[in-house]
Amino acid sequence: MTPSSASVAHASNNDFYADNEKLYVATDCIVFGFDEGDLKLLIFKRRVEPDSGIWSLIGSFVQLDEDVNDAARRVLKEITGLDEIFLEQSKTYGKADRDPGYRCLSVAHYALIRIDDYDKELVESHGAYWYTLKDLPKLALDHDQMVADALSKLRRKARQQPIGFELLPEKFTIPQLQQLYEAIYQRELDPRNFRKKVLSLKVLVKLEEKDKSGSKRGAFLYRFDAEKYQELLESGYNFEI
Amino acid sequence: MTPSSASVAHASNNDFYADNEKLYVATDCIVFGFDEGDLKLLIFKRRVEPDSGIWSLIGSFVQLDEDVNDAARRVLKEITGLDEIFLEQSKTYGKADRDPGYRCLSVAHYALIRIDDYDKELVESHGAYWYTLKDLPKLALDHDQMVADALSKLRRKARQQPIGFELLPEKFTIPQLQQLYEAIYQRELDPRNFRKKVLSLKVLVKLEEKDKSGSKRGAFLYRFDAEKYQELLESGYNFEI
DNA sequence: CAAAAAAACGTATTTTGTACGTTTAAAGGT
DNA sequence: ACCTTTAAACGTACAAAATACGTTTTTTTG
């Protein structure tokens, strides 16, 4: 019954939890999407008591036989219908009083999804909606902090690798890519320098098609070269837009 | 009895743990120090059965009424006698099978300590020792991975802020500072460019004393200017040595 | 007192980032 | 048909930063 592994049974003070005590572990997902030039977040509103009407991140308990990151993937699949998306651990929130009434810690994960891929009906059936970051309502518990932390991780991540591709549709224009980075960094970028920089990475493949939704003239569509992108990652290059 | 908060009781699949099931939460600390030109790690060897002789990181269970990061601080205080040291969450390890026999997840933290500050007797009384990173023995469970991850976090952190100061004694020479960065990055740096760069930050205060332990000529000692260091952090400057 | 070694200072070159001008393609009004 | 407008696409000049490497200084030791 008593754990025996070296990982925990070593410090002098290794109390185990009493039989009637329990510590819950949950995971919450900060789901980012990009649409109409804005970074969006998938949040959901409880429709039944208790806490009906309160907005929060999507999440779930970690089951006893389940890896923590699998729990996050399960939540994402349940709500968006999507599999195999970018998902990374953000941070663990472990304040003893973070959830009133009982002890529960949450391992937050952030996900990036292509906003045109997800299962719209499934999302709505769960009471989940996309919110622009700026218009975000107050969220439950420490979820506001989770969002702030995930956003700052996303920003750092975006500097290290061309993460934008996870958030854009397969074909995209350079101005669209720029809009995404502007949304992530929350500042304007020079379109001429942005184009120069992004093309210098040699990970974009120019297509023959144009996208005319953004301007009269239209802009050429690009897709990214998965192979060269991989090389770039492995070289340890810093994207630094 | 059943948790009612919005944070967890929302997904369709919110199983709670059965009465006889329990999920343990521990914290493990990756404690870095710097001595004799090398990065060192504080690890400890169990001296009683079971698992006697196995090396592992220092750690402990998180108590039911205790913040997770407080648990890490408690462990550090217990083993090193040190308070108020640099401590940051690294990553949470949550594979269902990471610890054989029972379900336990671990929230890893990494700490940076001035190796001449710690309580030597206390450390030894706990069976803990400093090991150079390269000579590290095989550690228990997934602790090798924890060390690798923490090291990579330390590297990234070192690029963002002059973290070296946490690891050096109050007075140090520029060549010592360089040695530290060489140990962190695992590559050689040009001493002339290193000096130029580090002095350009204007956070070092030159003292009148010299340290003669490293060379015949001796090198001037410096301390860092806490105020200017703080300004530098707040300006969002990237250290980038 | 010369040789050795590392500290301390300096300069040249290359690379990268930043600022901003010009040309081009297509749409829409007159 | 042609002029205007708009954003895309391309290009150039300058500033800042990183890198490479030469020189001088200080001290110890043979």
Side-chain angles (χ1 to χ4, degrees):
Chain A
M1 188 38 102
T2 298
S4 65
S5 155
S7 75
V8 288
H10 46 61
S12 58
N13 211 357
N14 51 356
D15 313 47
F16 303 120
Y17 312 132
D19 282 349
N20 60 339
E21 292 178 329
K22 209 161 259 196
L23 199 158
Y24 294 90
V25 177
T27 179
D28 288 293
C29 293
I30 298 96
V31 185
F32 291 105
F34 179 67
D35 197 29
E36 293 165 14
D38 268 319
L39 254 195
K40 311 222 169 176
L41 204 67
L42 189 63
I43 54 177
F44 108 113
K45 188 180 204 164
R46 265 183 77 78
R47 288 182 293 200
V48 290
E49 292 301 332
D51 298 318
S52 180
I54 289 183
W55 288 98
S56 73
L57 296 169
I58 61 177
S60 171
F61 279 110
V62 174
Q63 293 179 241
L64 216 80
D65 60 347
E66 183 181 44
D67 293 357
V68 171
N69 67 328
D70 286 342
R73 291 201 180 277
R74 172 174 52 77
V75 170
L76 268 154
K77 173 89 178 184
E78 271 172 28
I79 309 280
T80 67
L82 294 177
D83 232 292
E84 306 198 10
I85 58 184
F86 180 97
L87 178 73
E88 206 163 82
Q89 194 183 115
S90 171
K91 203 184 155 182
T92 295
Y93 296 80
K95 280 208 174 297
D97 60 359
R98 62 177 287 278
D99 201 325
Y102 65 107
R103 179 70 197 268
C104 176
L105 63 88
S106 173
V107 184
H109 289 76
Y110 72 101
L112 307 180
I113 84 172
R114 296 180 175 184
I115 216 161
D116 52 348
D117 280 358
Y118 76 100
D119 185 330
K120 216 161 181 161
E121 280 181 32
L122 190 59
V123 164
E124 278 169 17
S125 77
H126 283 94
Y129 303 93
W130 289 102
Y131 258 82
T132 301
L133 274 178
K134 297 160 202 163
D135 308 334
L136 222 54
K138 169 86 185 70
L139 303 179
L141 306 178
D142 48 6
H143 289 195
D144 290 315
Q145 188 60 47
M146 289 184 181
V147 171
D149 292 343
L151 191 57
S152 109
K153 289 218 185 244
L154 174 61
R155 290 203 177 113
R156 251 192 299 135
K157 190 86 186 171
R159 259 178 240 282
Q160 284 181 344
Q161 49 182 270
I163 207 136
F165 300 119
E166 311 283 349
L167 286 157
L168 287 170
E170 196 158 347
K171 299 172 182 178
F172 53 87
T173 68
I174 291 183
Q176 275 165 10
L177 185 60
Q178 180 180 342
Q179 274 196 315
L180 171 57
Y181 274 87
E182 289 182 334
I184 291 177
Y185 294 143
Q186 300 278 35
R187 70 181 177 93
E188 298 205 339
L189 302 169
D190 182 288
R192 294 154 295 188
N193 293 336
F194 182 85
R195 175 183 300 272
K196 200 198 309 177
K197 174 76 186 179
V198 89
L199 287 176
S200 78
L201 297 174
K202 310 249 182 230
V203 291
L204 293 188
V205 180
K206 188 175 184 174
L207 305 175
E208 288 308 307
E209 306 167 68
K210 274 194 172 183
D211 174 279
K212 302 225 175 188
S213 63
S215 69
K216 297 168 190 170
R217 180 178 171 180
F220 278 104
L221 286 163
Y222 287 78
R223 62 175 179 79
F224 90 94
D225 183 328
E227 212 171 293
K228 292 200 174 164
Y229 169 90
Q230 206 51 41
E231 283 173 31
L232 198 69
L233 285 191
E234 283 158 16
S235 75
Y237 179 78
N238 263 30
F239 197 44
E240 282 294 359
I241 279 189
Chain B
M1 190 35 108
T2 298
S4 65
S5 154
S7 75
V8 287
H10 45 62
S12 59
N13 211 359
N14 52 355
D15 314 46
F16 303 120
Y17 313 133
D19 281 349
N20 60 340
E21 292 178 330
K22 210 163 258 196
L23 201 157
Y24 295 91
V25 177
T27 179
D28 287 294
C29 293
I30 298 96
V31 185
F32 292 105
F34 179 67
D35 196 27
E36 293 164 13
D38 269 318
L39 254 195
K40 310 223 167 174
L41 204 67
L42 190 63
I43 56 177
F44 109 113
K45 188 180 203 164
R46 265 181 78 77
R47 287 182 294 202
V48 291
E49 292 301 335
D51 298 315
S52 180
I54 289 184
W55 289 97
S56 74
L57 297 170
I58 61 176
S60 170
F61 279 109
V62 174
Q63 292 179 244
L64 216 80
D65 60 348
E66 183 182 43
D67 293 358
V68 171
N69 66 328
D70 285 343
R73 291 200 179 278
R74 172 172 53 78
V75 170
L76 269 154
K77 173 90 178 183
E78 270 171 28
I79 310 280
T80 66
L82 294 177
D83 233 290
E84 306 198 11
I85 60 184
F86 179 97
L87 179 72
E88 205 163 85
Q89 193 183 115
S90 170
K91 202 185 154 182
T92 295
Y93 295 80
K95 281 209 174 294
D97 60 358
R98 61 177 288 277
D99 201 326
Y102 65 108
R103 180 68 196 270
C104 177
L105 64 87
S106 174
V107 183
H109 290 75
Y110 72 101
L112 307 179
I113 84 173
R114 297 179 173 183
I115 216 161
D116 52 348
D117 279 357
Y118 75 100
D119 185 332
K120 217 162 180 160
E121 280 181 33
L122 189 60
V123 164
E124 278 169 18
S125 77
H126 282 94
Y129 303 93
W130 289 101
Y131 258 81
T132 301
L133 272 178
K134 296 161 200 161
D135 308 334
L136 222 55
K138 168 85 186 71
L139 302 179
L141 307 179
D142 49 5
H143 289 196
D144 289 315
Q145 188 60 46
M146 288 184 181
V147 171
D149 292 343
L151 190 57
S152 109
K153 290 218 185 244
L154 174 61
R155 289 202 179 114
R156 249 190 302 133
K157 191 84 186 171
R159 261 178 240 283
Q160 285 181 344
Q161 47 182 270
I163 206 132
F165 301 117
E166 312 283 349
L167 287 156
L168 288 169
E170 197 159 346
K171 300 172 181 179
F172 53 87
T173 68
I174 290 182
Q176 276 165 10
L177 185 60
Q178 180 180 342
Q179 274 196 315
L180 170 58
Y181 274 88
E182 288 181 335
I184 291 177
Y185 293 143
Q186 300 277 32
R187 70 184 177 91
E188 298 203 339
L189 302 170
D190 182 287
R192 296 156 293 191
N193 292 337
F194 182 85
R195 175 183 300 272
K196 200 197 310 176
K197 173 77 187 177
V198 89
L199 287 177
S200 78
L201 296 175
K202 310 253 183 227
V203 291
L204 294 187
V205 180
K206 189 176 184 174
L207 305 175
E208 288 308 307
E209 306 167 69
K210 273 193 173 185
D211 174 280
K212 302 224 174 187
S213 63
S215 70
K216 298 168 191 172
R217 180 178 172 182
F220 278 103
L221 287 162
Y222 288 78
R223 63 173 178 79
F224 89 94
D225 183 328
E227 211 172 294
K228 291 200 174 165
Y229 169 90
Q230 206 51 41
E231 282 173 30
L232 198 69
L233 286 190
E234 283 158 17
S235 76
Y237 179 77
N238 263 30
F239 198 43
E240 282 292 359
I241 277 189

